[in-house]
Amino acid sequence: MLESKKRLGDMLVEAGVINDMQRGAALGEQKRWGGKLASLLIFMGFADERTVAAVLEKQLGQKCIALKDKEIPLNILSMVRPSIAKKYNIVPIDFDKRTLSVAISNPNDLRALDDLTFALGIKVKPVLALEYGIKNALGRYYA
């Protein structure tokens, strides 16, 4: 039998990043307005992007990049129309031969990745990033 993974909020409490009250407040906001818990915790000022990314890496078992300080070349950004980037909540970050690497908050969303591959006409490689960082990068690069 597979052991279920711990929830991100529980892992952040166990790591001492947030306390139970902060988790509860963020979960209340999530219930009221929607969104991802990690993004809400950062937005509410309870945790910073790098710390949440480190815990998320542990939870998902894959590298999580921070887009805050990443400079993306214009030729890479121009490979994805702003409407597509915003629709799928992705940011192109690298291109190697025939594969475009995109920052995405759910790299396991096969439907979105298939849609992106079809819309862009090239192979797409997902790279885990926090939704908060993606939204900020979309505002910075596609405003």
Side-chain angles (χ1 to χ4, degrees):
M1 179 186 282
L2 293 174
E3 183 180 329
S4 63
K5 291 187 177 182
K6 287 186 181 181
R7 295 177 146 192
L8 179 62
D10 295 338
M11 292 178 73
L12 290 166
V13 169
E14 287 175 14
V17 175
I18 60 171
N19 61 38
D20 284 324
M21 274 184 63
Q22 291 168 323
R23 177 181 51 190
L27 288 170
E29 288 298 303
Q30 183 182 43
K31 186 174 182 177
R32 177 182 291 157
W33 304 108
K36 298 196 180 227
L37 182 64
S39 294
L40 291 168
L41 289 166
I42 296 166
F43 179 76
M44 296 171 80
F46 296 151
D48 66 86
E49 186 176 1
R50 292 181 201 276
T51 305
V52 174
V55 174
L56 194 59
E57 285 177 352
K58 185 177 177 185
Q59 182 194 37
L60 298 177
Q62 53 185 285
K63 180 91 171 107
C64 181
I65 64 164
L67 294 173
K68 182 178 180 181
D69 302 322
K70 187 160 184 66
E71 287 300 321
I72 303 168
L74 193 54
N75 64 319
I76 302 295
L77 291 167
S78 66
M79 295 181 77
V80 178
R81 290 192 319 270
S83 60
I84 290 177
K86 291 174 184 175
K87 177 180 179 180
Y88 293 103
N89 203 34
I90 59 109
V91 176
I93 56 172
D94 193 26
F95 183 70
D96 182 29
K97 297 181 184 172
R98 296 186 335 225
T99 303
L100 180 67
S101 295
V102 297
I104 187 168
S105 62
N106 182 0
N108 299 321
D109 186 348
L110 298 180
R111 182 179 175 143
L113 295 171
D114 286 345
D115 288 352
L116 273 170
T117 298
F118 180 76
L120 300 174
I122 55 176
K123 185 177 177 188
V124 174
K125 176 184 170 191
V127 178
L128 177 64
L130 293 177
E131 180 186 46
Y132 182 85
I134 292 171
K135 289 198 181 296
N136 284 340
L138 285 171
R140 182 173 48 180
Y141 292 116
Y142 290 108

